[in-house]
Amino acid sequence: MLRWVRQQLGFDPPHQSDTRTIYIANRFPQHGHYVPQKFADNRIISSKYTVWNFVPKNLFEQFRRVANFYFLIIFLVQLMIDTPTSPITSGLPLFFVITVTAIKQGYEDWLRHKADNEVNGAPVYVVRSGGLVKTRSKNIRVGDIVRVAKDETFPVDLVLLSSDRVDGSCHVTTASLDGETNLKTHVAVPETAVLQSVANLDKLVAVIECQQPEADLYRFVGRITVSQQTEEIVRPLGPESLLLRGARLKNTKEIFGVAVYTGMETKMALNYKSKSQKRSAVEKSMNSFLIIYLIILLFEAILSTILKYAWQAEEKWDEPWYNGKTEHERNSSKILRFISDFLAFLVLYNFIIPISLYVTVEMQKFLGSFFIGWDLDLYHKETNQRAQVNTSDLNEELGQVEYVFTDKTGTLTENEMQFRECSINGIKYQEINGKLTPEGFSEDSPDGNRHSLMREEELFLKAVCLCHTVQINADQTDGADGPWHANGIASPLEYYASSPDEKALVEAASRVGVVFTGTSGDSMEVKSLGKPERYKLLHVLEFDPNRRRMSVIVESPSGEKLLFTKGAESSILPRSKSGEIDKTRIHVDEFALKGLRTLCIAYRRFTPEEYQEIGKRLHEARTALQQREERLADVFNFIERDLELLGATGVEDKLQEKVQETIEALRLAGIKVWVLTGDKHETAVSVSLSCGHFHRTMNILELVQHKSDSTCAEQLRQLAKRIKEDHVIQHGLVVDGTSLSLALREHEKLFMEVCKNCSAVLCCRMAPLQKAKVVRLLKTSPEKPITLAIGDGANDVSMIQEAHVGIGIMGKEGRQAVRNSDYAIARFKFLSKLLFVHGHFYYIRIATLVQYFFYKNVCFITPQFLYQFFCLFSQQTLYDSVYLTLYNICFTSLPVLIYSLFEQHVHPHVLQSKPVLYRDISKNAHLGFKPFLYWTILGFFHAFVFFYGSYLLMGEDTSLLGNGQMFGNWTFGTLVFTVMVITVTMKMALETHFWTWINHFVTWGSIVFYFIFSLFYGGIIWPFLHTQDMYFVFVQLLSSGSAWFAIILIVVACLFIDVLKKVLYRHLQPTSTEKAQLTEAGSGINCLDSMCCFSDGETACTSVRRMLERLMGRCSPTRVNRCGISLNSLCCRRFSYKLEPDEPAAIDV
């Protein structure tokens, strides 16, 4: 019962052990001392709530927000003490916000429950009691043997026991997990691979020991102990034995596997749990503004309380004849009365804190994020991929980026590899007409005549064909002739590979005569110039980023044990003791200067004694349950030594389309680009030059190949000195991983100083964690710049998660980067529109939204404060309680929401073609202290005009109403409220540049709705209201011509200052954005932001009218044509604008 309660509340009991022991088919030991481990059931729970915890858990999460908690306190205060306003005024808006949010979250969670039920109820087959039993997915237990058929998805994480193939292998695709569509081979241990029937499996007695669940998809450590008669056989289990939930079985009729991780402990479920929350700069500013307004609220409440007691110090005001105190009031404590009055004023002014701000911002972010996915300019037709948003909380952060950290391979390049050159035994070769030709030789022989390969060439190509993880389409591995035509030329095999480099190399080898034809059991088949050879695969030493190499140990047809190794030259050459090492190193550097990706290939022969020692060490390391990775790394290093170098390869990776233009645009926008890559120094520099990251005129500084702190520090000081001496020219910095480690260890400050003075930085030979360290270094520097990381592979995940904004490229290295990113795009070139258009719009919209909310609440509550000076601080409210309640919910909420979704103050095409406009919004320019102060002062100014304008125009007049009655308290308050609703709505209209029918509908509709509601509310006697203060007040107010005159005059007086400021600032101190504020439609330019475009014969009147239309952002092609202006005659059809002295050159549109 207790466990059930804990599960319902969302708590999982911690595991007591580092490993789990699984008895296959749940055949537990018979002795009485054994206590079975408890495992999770196989239910997938993606929902957040249950029926039992929805209300408390949702309320707890909502009241963690400062604004919601604040209004809850105010509501409770209104319930406890006698306050001037009804508890409904605070309770109803709070209830509305809480309810709307709860309904939204509840509906989303119901959809998740519905999806979970479909998954958990899916039919599966398990082996029980000697036969196959059909059950539901949620009923699978750890230890059950599960059967999965072809094209079905695995319902749990399974250890493969057997398949319909003799060798116990099967093929799967993990597209739903990591996006990789290539076939991956998984194998069973030999002892269980032969058990291909249900009857045989039911007799299996075996135990699996493995690690507890973890999220890493590619890590699994375990061992299986199979009991056969009197002996027990122990076999290691690794990732090649584990079939992950969500993966799909391919090219295999059926498999049997034992469930090891179930339900929420499967790797798929662990990977889809929420990541650490990133907070945008706008959200931080919003919280700061809330604190400032809370201080203003407390100040007003304290001041009002003090003034009340100062006023009441005179006896005639303390107890006037018409309002005598009761005996209880006279005898009550002065301290308690002071606190009570303070709380009453706090309640009276509490609406200065905008309760609906959070819910409006949430709606704006959620709805606004759809525009990225709908943008056809971010759609990649070739791959049928559109941009996707994984988190909408950072939309506006796209408009604040100062540093971009990008991977190279697959991000700047296509990750489509083409074999170009190779070096074999110190001789450079090129592929010409499907033949390896030494450099300097021409190839004139016809295609059909194949020349024989030299021994070194053949061994090199065999190493390429054997040392890889490439798979072949199963349909192509059949047939006696294999992949050869009658004329002896190899037909193209369809290879699958997780690494494009491997695929390119194997395809190149097949074109020149050494063809990898597939695997059969534990053998790899190769045809060398048509002669088939079979190599037995003994061991695979998997690639890892630390070793930067992979190896295979094979047995040749002659029985010789061989090790083939390939990897980065930095990890192969130091381990080579023979071969043309020096010549190969020179060739590798030459390949790198051409921008080619390089790999070195070597081999080693084992004696029987050496192989026996290696096999023993490998078995011990692979079967270890503790520190398996460290033990394997030690064994791999022991094996991969004393190598004989065979040669090196050079593979070209083409640049993606418009990479150079995108990087140049980022530079013009004031964004610094850092390239972080694992590639060789020369390769990385070559690609940086070709993609425009480095310019030919740029002074390239280098911090590479340093082995000690002292040399690294000295070099950094020299670089800093050179930068100061040559401050006129631009500098680029190249740093490698080793030197970077030294620089970050002791000389972080000096390193940062050098980097910040460089226009571009290139970091090569970087490990994944080093990439994250560099991002963190910039992110936590004193300037606190906003960082963006973009990459396409698993090695980029750490920096993507570290940066303020992480962007994944939907490339060919799986989907791990996409899954862990905040946004995902198909190509690097889409980054420009994502930042310059969407980021710009989102930032401008939400900056205006946040500040407008505070402005309209200052306008709302300040008249309430001023009114207290006229009512002896008696806490009399100026507005009716219904108006207090509905002001933020109904009367002023929609115009700003629609503005925040659709506003386009500059045409998207202009924003993208003029990256320099991005500088206008950088460093939180529109949401800093100055803009906030302006909006706040404007709110106070408008509030003073509302109150004192109404007071001066109407307050002393006693005969304004049509029936001869004088103005009363509620009439005066209604007049102020009416002027306020119209003014704040019109203020939003002034801020709007891009008008759609929706904007018109909600702007004018909000004002009309207010009038209709007020007429309806004041025109009926409502039986459920205990007072009828507003009965006929609004009707009588509107019946007075003077009231209409006052409304119009006060609204114009308020907004005239805004219009005047806009005119003066735009023409005296225009920003770059205001200079370029134009819209473009069809084939021409429609309007400009000032009188810089003229047509022949245009009159001054027409020019002024056009300027005012443009000033308000409402210029359209039809209006321009009505002004007598032909679009084709505009002088700035092709335009650029004058820049400020510190701005870079403009880009013409």
Side-chain angles (χ1 to χ4, degrees):
M1 181 65 186
L2 180 61
R3 189 178 179 212
W4 181 84
V5 171
R6 288 173 62 84
Q7 285 182 343
Q8 295 305 307
L9 293 175
F11 299 109
D12 284 323
H15 293 292
Q16 301 300 319
S17 172
D18 292 334
T19 61
R20 56 170 52 188
T21 303
I22 300 160
Y23 291 86
I24 294 179
N26 291 307
R27 291 191 178 88
F28 301 117
Q30 298 302 314
H31 58 77
H33 302 293
Y34 175 73
V35 178
Q37 288 179 288
K38 293 182 178 179
F39 305 114
D41 57 31
N42 197 39
R43 287 181 302 161
I44 284 292
I45 304 172
S46 62
S47 55
K48 195 174 183 180
Y49 307 105
T50 66
V51 175
W52 310 103
N53 69 10
F54 175 74
V55 173
K57 194 172 182 179
N58 187 264
L59 288 177
F60 172 74
E61 289 176 349
Q62 293 205 54
F63 283 118
R64 283 195 303 180
R65 287 184 166 170
V66 177
N68 289 348
F69 185 72
Y70 161 77
F71 271 92
L72 176 65
I73 297 299
I74 294 295
F75 176 64
L76 295 176
V77 168
Q78 287 179 292
L79 290 175
M80 289 187 291
I81 67 171
D82 183 22
T83 55
T85 57
S86 167
I88 294 175
T89 58
S90 294
L92 190 59
L94 177 64
F95 177 77
F96 173 78
V97 169
I98 296 294
T99 304
V100 167
T101 307
I103 291 172
K104 170 182 169 288
Q105 294 177 350
Y107 174 70
E108 290 174 349
D109 206 61
W110 175 77
L111 292 178
R112 286 191 285 266
H113 272 284
K114 189 176 177 183
D116 290 346
N117 290 336
E118 290 181 8
V119 172
N120 295 330
V124 294
Y125 289 91
V126 297
V127 177
R128 287 177 185 166
S129 304
L132 275 179
V133 178
K134 185 177 181 180
T135 183
R136 295 181 182 273
S137 174
K138 64 181 180 183
N139 297 328
I140 297 176
R141 298 169 299 173
V142 171
D144 280 346
I145 299 175
V146 183
R147 191 203 76 169
V148 180
K150 182 179 178 181
D151 293 328
E152 290 182 353
T153 57
F154 301 114
V156 291
D157 287 353
L158 300 165
V159 165
L160 180 61
L161 295 177
S162 65
S163 70
D164 63 321
R165 300 181 182 184
V166 177
D167 60 356
S169 66
C170 70
H171 296 296
V172 304
T173 60
T174 56
S176 62
L177 296 173
D178 57 13
E180 296 181 12
T181 55
N182 56 292
L183 294 178
K184 296 179 180 177
T185 304
H186 292 258
V187 292
V189 298
E191 286 71 25
T192 62
V194 296
L195 307 176
Q196 295 179 311
S197 67
V198 174
N200 289 334
L201 284 167
D202 193 51
K203 299 174 185 176
L204 175 64
V205 179
V207 179
I208 292 176
E209 295 170 276
C210 62
Q211 62 187 157
Q212 293 292 1
E214 65 171 33
D216 191 341
L217 293 175
Y218 307 102
R219 184 174 184 272
F220 178 68
V221 178
R223 66 186 177 200
I224 183 170
T225 304
V226 182
S227 300
Q228 290 186 345
Q229 297 173 356
T230 59
E231 64 173 336
E232 291 186 344
I233 302 173
V234 180
R235 296 286 185 184
L237 297 176
E240 73 283 351
S241 304
L242 187 67
L243 305 173
L244 300 180
R245 178 173 190 147
R248 189 178 295 272
L249 184 64
K250 290 285 188 182
N251 291 359
T252 310
K253 184 179 178 182
E254 66 176 12
I255 65 98
F256 290 93
V258 58
V260 289
Y261 303 131
T262 50
M264 298 308 294
E265 294 181 339
T266 58
K267 290 183 179 287
M268 181 188 77
L270 293 173
N271 270 276
Y272 289 138
K273 286 186 176 178
S274 59
K275 304 187 292 289
S276 59
Q277 192 71 23
K278 294 181 181 180
R279 294 175 64 214
S280 70
V282 169
E283 188 177 343
K284 294 172 187 174
S285 298
M286 197 165 70
N287 290 337
S288 302
F289 297 161
L290 275 173
I291 293 172
I292 293 172
Y293 270 68
L294 194 59
I295 293 171
I296 294 174
L297 169 65
L298 293 173
F299 171 75
E300 289 184 346
I302 292 171
L303 180 63
S304 297
T305 309
I306 292 172
L307 288 175
K308 175 179 180 178
Y309 281 90
W311 212 310
Q312 291 180 357
E314 297 182 43
E315 192 172 339
K316 64 174 182 177
W317 296 123
D318 183 38
E319 193 175 351
W321 61 269
Y322 56 83
N323 190 18
K325 291 182 179 179
T326 63
E327 191 66 27
H328 175 72
E329 288 174 330
R330 289 193 185 96
N331 297 330
S332 61
S333 168
K334 288 186 177 182
I335 295 175
L336 290 177
R337 272 190 290 154
F338 185 90
I339 294 172
S340 177
D341 285 327
F342 167 73
L343 292 174
F345 280 117
L346 204 65
V347 168
L348 192 64
Y349 304 146
N350 79 83
F351 283 97
I352 197 171
I353 306 294
I355 185 174
S356 54
L357 173 60
Y358 277 116
V359 72
T360 307
V361 167
E362 263 195 12
M363 290 175 66
Q364 188 271 343
K365 288 184 174 184
F366 174 71
L367 297 174
S369 63
F370 286 102
F371 292 118
I372 292 178
W374 292 337
D375 191 343
L376 292 178
D377 289 338
L378 301 181
Y379 170 74
H380 192 242
K381 187 176 181 181
E382 287 78 6
T383 56
N384 190 31
Q385 290 171 329
R386 59 184 180 88
Q388 68 184 55
V389 179
N390 296 329
T391 174
S392 60
D393 294 335
L394 302 172
N395 293 342
E396 64 278 3
E397 207 82 331
L398 294 170
Q400 295 295 294
V401 175
E402 297 173 60
Y403 283 86
V404 168
F405 299 91
T406 175
D407 178 40
K408 181 184 75 66
T409 305
T411 304
L412 300 180
T413 61
E414 287 284 2
N415 207 8
E416 286 183 1
M417 309 302 176
Q418 294 181 342
F419 176 80
R420 290 292 180 232
E421 297 182 62
C422 66
S423 171
I424 304 176
N425 199 30
I427 302 172
K428 280 169 58 174
Y429 290 83
Q430 293 178 327
E431 182 190 354
I432 301 177
N433 295 328
K435 298 176 184 177
L436 278 183
T437 306
E439 189 179 44
F441 288 80
S442 62
E443 181 58 66
D444 299 320
S445 61
D447 294 345
N449 298 323
R450 291 183 280 109
H451 75 290
S452 60
L453 294 170
M454 296 173 59
R455 176 185 170 277
E456 294 83 0
E457 295 172 349
E458 187 174 5
L459 186 59
F460 176 86
L461 294 172
K462 284 180 181 178
V464 168
C465 287
L466 293 171
C467 185
H468 57 73
T469 58
V470 175
Q471 299 293 328
I472 299 178
N473 190 333
D475 298 335
Q476 293 184 298
T477 59
D478 300 329
D481 294 332
W484 290 85
H485 290 312
N487 62 1
I489 302 299
S491 65
L493 282 167
E494 189 176 358
Y495 292 112
Y496 297 96
S498 56
S499 168
D501 299 74
E502 288 189 337
K503 182 181 178 185
L505 291 175
V506 172
E507 287 175 341
S510 70
R511 290 195 297 270
V512 297
V514 180
V515 186
F516 169 62
T517 58
T519 58
S520 176
D522 58 356
S523 298
M524 301 180 73
E525 297 175 356
V526 175
K527 284 192 175 180
S528 179
L529 300 179
K531 179 184 175 183
E533 295 181 5
R534 177 169 292 190
Y535 289 80
K536 185 177 181 181
L537 181 62
L538 302 174
H539 298 284
V540 177
L541 280 56
E542 297 83 1
F543 174 86
D544 68 67
N546 297 321
R547 285 169 44 244
R548 299 183 63 80
R549 60 186 179 271
M550 78 158 287
S551 304
V552 294
I553 301 176
V554 297
E555 182 180 327
S556 68
S558 62
E560 199 173 16
K561 305 292 193 302
L562 300 172
L563 168 79
F564 289 112
T565 303
K566 70 175 180 186
E569 91 288 345
S570 60
S571 66
I572 298 294
L573 296 181
R575 295 179 164 271
S576 300
K577 69 172 185 177
S578 60
E580 296 291 344
I581 298 174
D582 294 332
K583 288 183 179 179
T584 303
R585 182 180 282 112
I586 294 171
H587 290 165
V588 166
D589 291 341
E590 291 176 359
F591 295 162
L593 286 173
K594 296 177 183 178
L596 303 181
R597 291 166 58 88
T598 59
L599 285 173
C600 288
I601 296 175
Y603 84 111
R604 178 185 174 186
R605 302 175 190 272
F606 293 122
T607 63
E609 294 77 16
E610 287 175 332
Y611 179 72
Q612 189 175 2
E613 172 70 13
I614 286 168
K616 180 182 176 182
R617 289 196 179 198
L618 273 175
H619 181 74
E620 290 175 354
R622 290 190 191 276
T623 54
L625 286 181
Q626 305 297 329
Q627 298 181 324
R628 179 181 290 187
E629 286 83 359
E630 292 81 356
R631 293 188 184 185
L632 281 174
D634 292 339
V635 176
F636 289 172
N637 287 327
F638 173 76
I639 297 171
E640 296 166 330
R641 60 189 174 90
D642 301 333
L643 302 175
E644 183 175 341
L645 186 64
L646 291 173
T649 61
V651 177
E652 182 185 34
D653 190 5
K654 294 191 300 181
L655 280 177
Q656 287 188 18
E657 184 185 6
K658 293 187 177 180
V659 165
Q660 189 167 357
E661 293 89 337
T662 304
I663 290 178
E664 180 64 19
L666 292 171
R667 187 185 66 80
L668 286 174
I671 299 172
K672 289 189 176 182
V673 179
W674 288 35
V675 175
L676 312 181
T677 178
D679 270 354
K680 190 173 170 12
H681 170 206
E682 292 81 4
T683 305
V685 171
S686 176
V687 173
S688 283
L689 286 168
S690 64
C691 73
H693 179 236
F694 284 164
H695 291 287
R696 298 289 174 183
T697 58
M698 191 178 282
N699 182 24
I700 307 297
L701 309 175
E702 292 191 349
L703 182 69
V704 295
Q705 296 180 349
H706 288 284
K707 305 295 184 184
S708 67
D709 282 338
S710 57
T711 59
C712 183
E714 180 60 30
Q715 180 68 10
L716 278 171
R717 280 189 283 269
Q718 290 180 8
L719 293 179
K721 184 179 178 182
R722 285 183 60 184
I723 290 173
K724 287 180 181 178
E725 292 172 351
D726 304 330
H727 63 276
V728 178
I729 62 174
Q730 289 185 330
H731 300 276
L733 177 67
V734 182
V735 57
D736 63 10
T738 308
S739 303
L740 180 71
S741 298
L742 295 172
L744 296 183
R745 189 185 306 161
E746 299 288 343
H747 318 290
E748 187 176 294
K749 189 175 180 182
L750 184 59
F751 177 69
M752 283 302 302
E753 182 185 341
V754 172
C755 289
K756 287 179 180 178
N757 289 316
C758 292
S759 301
V761 178
L762 168 64
C763 301
C764 56
R765 286 294 184 223
M766 297 283 284
L769 285 179
Q770 282 185 311
K771 293 183 178 184
K773 284 182 181 178
V774 170
V775 176
R776 191 182 307 120
L777 180 69
L778 264 294
K779 196 170 97 170
T780 56
S781 63
E783 295 82 6
K784 297 285 189 292
I786 303 300
T787 57
L788 179 147
I790 179 170
D792 73 317
N795 60 331
D796 303 314
V797 168
S798 55
M799 75 168 181
I800 285 174
Q801 291 181 329
E802 182 64 44
H804 291 95
V805 182
I807 296 184
I809 295 286
M810 303 169 187
K812 297 178 176 63
E813 292 191 18
R815 289 293 185 274
Q816 291 187 73
V818 171
R819 285 184 12 246
N820 288 278
S821 66
D822 304 305
Y823 302 89
I825 53 179
R827 288 294 181 268
F828 182 81
K829 66 179 181 178
F830 294 153
L831 185 63
S832 61
K833 182 159 192 187
L834 193 66
L835 298 185
F836 302 152
V837 179
H838 289 287
H840 200 119
F841 283 156
Y842 285 134
Y843 177 73
I844 290 293
R845 290 166 182 169
I846 202 163
T848 306
L849 164 71
V850 170
Q851 295 178 121
Y852 175 80
F853 252 95
F854 286 106
Y855 152 79
K856 71 186 182 76
N857 278 47
V858 168
C859 290
F860 180 38
I861 220 64
T862 303
Q864 188 89 276
F865 173 70
L866 296 174
Y867 184 61
Q868 297 308 304
F869 288 89
F870 293 84
C871 66
L872 289 180
F873 293 92
S874 61
Q875 300 155 6
Q876 170 62 40
T877 178
L878 178 63
Y879 313 121
D880 181 72
S881 60
V882 173
Y883 286 158
L884 280 170
T885 305
L886 298 182
Y887 175 75
N888 276 316
I889 295 176
C890 297
F891 299 146
T892 60
S893 58
L894 277 180
V896 66
L897 176 61
I898 297 302
Y899 169 92
S900 66
L901 291 174
F902 297 110
E903 171 64 359
Q904 295 181 13
H905 63 301
V906 183
H907 194 277
H909 176 72
V910 177
L911 286 176
Q912 194 165 3
S913 60
K914 291 188 176 297
V916 72
L917 300 181
Y918 193 82
R919 296 179 177 223
D920 279 358
I921 62 170
S922 62
K923 298 186 185 297
N924 208 12
H926 288 254
L927 209 55
F929 183 72
K930 285 185 178 179
F932 168 71
L933 189 63
Y934 164 73
W935 279 92
T936 302
I937 292 174
L938 183 67
F940 280 115
F941 168 73
H942 283 181
F944 273 81
V945 174
F946 299 156
F947 184 83
Y948 286 109
S950 301
Y951 179 75
L952 292 174
L953 290 174
M954 314 291 289
E956 300 298 328
D957 200 323
T958 59
S959 60
L960 288 174
L961 298 181
N963 58 5
Q965 291 180 349
M966 63 182 288
F967 257 45
N969 171 56
W970 297 115
T971 310
F972 177 75
T974 304
L975 174 63
V976 173
F977 192 84
T978 303
V979 171
M980 178 173 57
V981 169
I982 296 172
T983 304
V984 297
T985 305
M986 292 298 295
K987 172 62 180 170
M988 189 76 264
L990 279 177
E991 295 299 316
T992 304
H993 295 86
F994 185 73
W995 283 89
T996 65
W997 68 267
I998 302 177
N999 292 83
H1000 284 289
F1001 177 77
V1002 299
T1003 300
W1004 317 122
S1006 293
I1007 297 174
V1008 171
F1009 172 75
Y1010 164 70
F1011 276 86
I1012 293 174
F1013 174 83
S1014 297
L1015 289 170
F1016 186 68
Y1017 171 58
I1020 299 175
I1021 296 178
W1022 300 96
F1024 52 83
L1025 295 179
H1026 65 279
T1027 61
Q1028 301 290 331
D1029 296 326
M1030 293 300 294
Y1031 181 67
F1032 238 65
V1033 168
F1034 197 72
V1035 176
Q1036 290 181 337
L1037 179 67
L1038 296 186
S1039 68
S1040 169
S1042 300
W1044 281 103
F1045 174 75
I1047 291 171
I1048 295 170
L1049 186 64
I1050 295 171
V1051 171
V1052 171
C1054 286
L1055 298 180
F1056 176 75
I1057 302 298
D1058 288 346
V1059 175
L1060 187 64
K1061 173 189 170 291
K1062 283 178 176 287
V1063 171
L1064 292 177
Y1065 268 79
R1066 279 172 175 263
H1067 288 273
L1068 297 178
Q1069 291 183 331
T1071 63
S1072 300
T1073 302
E1074 288 168 341
K1075 292 175 186 176
Q1077 241 170 4
L1078 52 87
T1079 40
E1080 186 177 294
S1083 61
I1085 293 171
N1086 300 331
C1087 63
L1088 211 63
D1089 65 326
S1090 63
M1091 296 181 290
C1092 67
C1093 290
F1094 297 92
S1095 64
D1096 297 332
E1098 183 181 59
T1099 65
C1101 179
T1102 307
S1103 176
V1104 171
R1105 189 179 84 182
R1106 178 165 55 81
M1107 180 199 72
L1108 291 174
E1109 286 181 330
R1110 289 167 185 169
L1111 176 69
M1112 303 299 290
R1114 301 193 189 91
C1115 192
S1116 68
T1118 53
R1119 287 194 177 94
V1120 174
N1121 290 330
R1122 283 203 302 271
C1123 295
I1125 304 171
S1126 169
L1127 288 175
N1128 294 326
S1129 67
L1130 287 173
C1131 68
C1132 56
R1133 171 70 179 233
R1134 182 173 179 83
F1135 72 96
S1136 92
Y1137 59 93
K1138 185 178 179 182
L1139 295 164
E1140 300 301 325
D1142 59 339
E1143 291 179 352
I1147 301 175
D1148 285 345
V1149 176

